Amino acid sequence: MADSTNTLMEKLVALCKRRGYIFQSSEIYGGINGFWDYGPLGVELKRNIKAAWWEDIVRKRDDILGLDASIIMNPKVWEASGHVGGFSDPMVDCRECKGRFRADKVAIVNFVRGEEVLFSASVETDDPVEAVSLARGKANSKYRKRLEKAGDAVAPSVTLLSKVAEGVSVQCPSCGAADSLTEPQNFNLMFKTNVGAVEDSASVAYLRPETAQGIFADYKNVLDSSRVKLPFGIAQIGKAFRNEINPRNYTFRSREFEQMEIEFFCHPDEAAKWYEYWRDARYKWYVDHGLTSEKLRLRDHEADELAHYAAACADIEYEFPFGISELEGIANRTDYDLGKHQEYSGKDLTYYDDETKERFLPHVIEPSGGVDRATLAFLCEAYTEDQAPNDKGEMQTRVVMKLHPRFAPIKVAIFPLVKKEGMPEVATAIHEQVKSAGITSFYDEKGAVGRRYRRQDEAGTPFCVTVDGQTLEDGTVTIRDRDSLAQERISKDEVLAYVRDRLG
Ligand code: GAP
């Protein structure tokens, strides 16, 4: 990770804590690894992202129905889905420092000149570019000088731990001890619990590791109760839990997170067409909501990356400060899941088409996104530093969260210029009017007005309205645009309509 990207992440994490976007869970007790809380601004941001998804996917469409399934389900669901048998990561432990690592996320980097290995280090990543930069950072001054002296003659080679030949010495990526890593062991990622008063093997249940299986388990109920016809989808937003071996990169890999998933059921002959449709539609959704930079990309999986049951898969990826990683996956899962649930439940899950008189198991296209990862990507993209004048007209660095207006936690902030002369009363009346129209508004009368603007810039508030002396004379207020800093004078009675028009 380069220094500049480190700095961006550090600044973002600090801002999120300072301004109440994201806190470490149970921080007063030292926190708990892999769990995060969303503060007053963060919860609004996250709710806005989920609401936008729900509106675009469920409410605006006739072919998708919503669902809210339970988190704990009959454990047979997870046997049928393959999670009991196969939802595991290969894990290695260090016998020296007791560190625990995913075997598929440890890379060994050798800096080679000709036949000679000048420097070697193990690092925790599966991204070859990041691996080289992390390994360079581990070189002490002696080895750094050696690498610098060798210059272009040095060729770094990166090998994942899972691909290292037997007998080759490997260091621990944390403490550096040689040959201290155990053989990989599979570790199931599902959180276990017990249902009922008795804690025995018969009462074991799991916290769902994905929302998708709730949709498959309810597919027949939705079909029968809503009399919908193929093609149609079922959408769900909800919590998922995975006992990740190494939660990392802030909220990116958490142990408790939220997913927004669609299972789109269609005729097998139409699956390829619907796969293309969803792949492109989901990519466009992120672009339309502000991930417009070259940091967003759509990556089709190579044939050897596909799960055995999948006909096609693509990832929507974002270049976070810590590397390029997945935001959402779109998969053509064929009839695998319904087939498995039909087999394990013994219930007929086929679809009967009364026009063609055909009976078959529908195929499924699954766009599966993470709410927390989307939130983090929108936060990273929004973080901007520019120059703006302070109260004395001096240019200063301003931090502004250029969030899409649909996602902004607060849409309008209303300020009286001073706390007297009737200005608070006028400002409060505008604030009440905006709030009662269902638009989030924030009233602030404390401190210099420049400071109040800065606080709203950090909150990503698209519009700030100031009531000043002129308001009392002609009934106009200033309205300031967060991104352009342009200020317009409009009638105080037009504030609501102005904001509504621009929020869309
Ligand atoms: N039903 C398919 C499924 O769950 P997945 O790729 O394992 O597929 C889908 O998860 C999405 O859920 C990911 O693209 C990611 O956005 C989110 N996700 C998965 N594991 C996560 C974790 N540990 N922390 C945060 N988000 C996660």
Side-chain angles (χ1 to χ4, degrees):
M1 206 190 298
D3 280 355
S4 59
T5 56
N6 251 331
T7 312
L8 169 60
M9 207 56 214
E10 279 161 16
K11 283 179 179 173
L12 184 70
V13 171
L15 174 88
C16 284
K17 165 140 201 227
R18 183 162 49 80
R19 292 310 317 274
Y21 284 99
I22 299 172
F23 306 129
Q24 195 184 12
S25 163
S26 36
E27 193 191 307
I28 56 166
Y29 292 101
I32 171 165
N33 199 7
F35 297 88
W36 298 93
D37 297 343
Y38 289 82
L41 288 181
V43 66
E44 289 293 337
L45 170 63
K46 200 169 154 197
R47 282 175 82 109
N48 290 342
I49 292 170
K50 290 188 282 181
W53 186 91
W54 193 260
E55 196 176 314
D56 295 344
I57 297 295
V58 181
R59 296 206 170 151
K60 284 189 183 159
R61 300 182 65 113
D62 294 323
D63 58 353
I64 304 215
L65 301 147
L67 181 74
D68 185 10
S70 63
I71 286 173
I72 293 178
M73 302 168 71
N74 188 313
K76 288 210 177 98
V77 167
W78 306 110
E79 283 171 33
S81 68
H83 284 83
V84 170
F87 190 56
S88 53
D89 278 339
M91 181 195 75
V92 292
D93 289 320
C94 173
R95 294 187 193 90
E96 296 294 326
C97 68
K98 311 293 173 214
R100 177 164 276 194
F101 314 93
R102 265 175 68 170
D104 56 344
K105 300 251 180 220
V106 173
I108 293 92
V109 185
N110 288 318
F111 293 88
V112 187
R113 182 179 53 190
E115 298 284 290
E116 188 191 3
V117 177
L118 294 183
F119 176 64
S120 173
S122 296
V123 290
E124 222 190 324
T125 178
D126 57 355
D127 174 2
V129 178
E130 192 188 14
V132 172
S133 124
L134 287 173
R136 264 188 205 283
K138 286 195 164 188
N140 62 19
S141 61
K142 175 180 150 198
Y143 286 107
R144 215 169 31 244
K145 276 193 200 128
R146 207 184 259 192
L147 293 177
E148 274 162 19
K149 208 164 149 206
D152 291 345
V154 174
S157 81
V158 180
T159 316
L160 286 179
L161 180 60
S162 47
K163 304 267 164 68
V164 166
E166 219 171 287
V168 171
S169 176
V170 174
Q171 301 163 6
C172 166
S174 178
C175 70
D179 302 318
S180 62
L181 298 181
T182 60
E183 285 299 307
Q185 283 176 355
N186 279 335
F187 171 77
N188 196 297
L189 300 186
M190 280 198 295
F191 278 103
K192 264 188 194 166
T193 187
N194 291 84
V195 173
V198 184
E199 281 193 22
D200 62 10
S201 60
S203 67
V204 166
Y206 303 95
L207 302 193
R208 68 180 176 200
E210 60 172 27
T211 61
Q213 298 305 322
I215 298 181
F216 292 122
D218 267 332
Y219 149 81
K220 197 78 179 156
N221 277 335
V222 173
L223 188 64
D224 293 345
S225 60
S226 54
R227 302 168 65 83
V228 70
K229 297 229 179 300
L230 283 190
F232 76 95
I234 304 177
Q236 172 162 229
I237 299 178
K239 289 271 189 182
F241 303 82
R242 296 184 190 177
N243 198 1
E244 298 283 359
I245 296 168
N246 263 334
R248 51 189 259 159
N249 292 332
Y250 203 27
T251 56
F252 181 83
R253 189 175 304 287
S254 307
R255 289 179 164 142
E256 174 178 340
F257 55 97
E258 274 185 283
Q259 289 186 314
M260 31 195 194
E261 297 200 291
I262 309 166
E263 305 302 328
F264 195 80
F265 303 91
C266 61
H267 188 281
D269 293 348
E270 293 197 327
K273 179 186 88 180
W274 282 110
Y275 167 73
E276 298 273 324
Y277 168 85
W278 280 112
R279 199 189 67 146
D280 297 347
R282 292 302 306 143
Y283 180 76
K284 186 171 177 298
W285 192 83
Y286 289 99
V287 176
D288 288 348
H289 288 91
L291 298 192
T292 50
S293 69
E294 69 295 341
K295 291 194 180 124
L296 189 72
R297 69 176 198 187
L298 187 59
R299 189 180 68 81
D300 291 311
H301 281 207
E302 301 292 337
D304 64 356
E305 281 182 88
L306 293 177
H308 64 93
Y309 50 81
C313 191
D315 285 346
I316 299 172
E317 297 180 331
Y318 184 75
E319 191 186 335
F320 290 95
F322 45 78
I324 297 175
S325 290
E326 177 193 326
L327 281 186
E328 173 160 346
I330 298 96
N332 177 348
R333 297 181 64 96
T334 66
D335 59 359
Y336 177 79
D337 306 272
L338 286 183
K340 284 285 171 199
H341 286 297
Q342 181 165 263
E343 180 190 332
Y344 277 72
S345 68
K347 299 283 180 327
D348 178 9
L349 298 181
T350 55
Y351 176 85
Y352 181 68
D353 186 328
D354 32 51
E355 277 172 31
T356 62
K357 312 291 177 217
E358 201 186 351
R359 183 172 283 286
F360 57 92
L361 265 185
H363 279 212
V364 171
I365 310 304
E366 176 189 74
S368 169
V371 180
D372 308 79
R373 284 193 191 174
T375 306
L376 186 58
F378 287 121
L379 281 169
C380 289
E381 185 85 6
Y383 186 95
T384 313
E385 288 179 9
D386 64 12
Q387 294 292 311
N390 64 12
D391 283 323
K392 294 180 194 131
E394 297 156 353
M395 294 308 271
Q396 279 192 336
T397 300
R398 147 181 110 128
V399 173
V400 51
M401 296 302 283
K402 293 192 174 176
L403 291 163
H404 190 283
R406 206 175 179 194
F407 294 160
I410 301 166
K411 310 294 188 212
V412 201
I414 322 270
F415 313 145
L417 186 62
V418 288
K419 254 195 291 182
K420 54 187 179 189
E421 294 163 20
M423 291 182 210
E425 289 73 11
V426 178
T428 306
I430 302 172
H431 171 58
E432 291 302 329
Q433 188 196 25
V434 173
K435 265 197 310 180
S436 45
I439 296 172
T440 45
S441 173
F442 183 79
Y443 175 81
D444 188 5
E445 59 178 23
K446 288 182 220 85
V449 77
R451 280 251 182 84
R452 287 182 255 168
Y453 282 143
R454 292 290 173 277
R455 286 184 64 74
Q456 293 309 313
D457 289 338
E458 288 185 343
T461 307
F463 303 107
C464 289
V465 172
T466 305
V467 171
D468 55 16
Q470 197 176 326
T471 313
L472 308 177
E473 288 165 19
D474 65 7
T476 63
V477 293
T478 63
I479 187 152
R480 169 192 182 263
D481 181 273
R482 175 195 71 195
D483 299 341
S484 68
L485 294 174
Q487 299 208 16
E488 274 183 72
R489 278 210 91 87
I490 61 168
S491 161
K492 65 181 171 53
D493 303 325
E494 285 169 12
V495 169
L496 179 58
Y498 181 102
V499 170
R500 229 189 225 144
D501 281 356
R502 280 153 187 81
L503 290 176

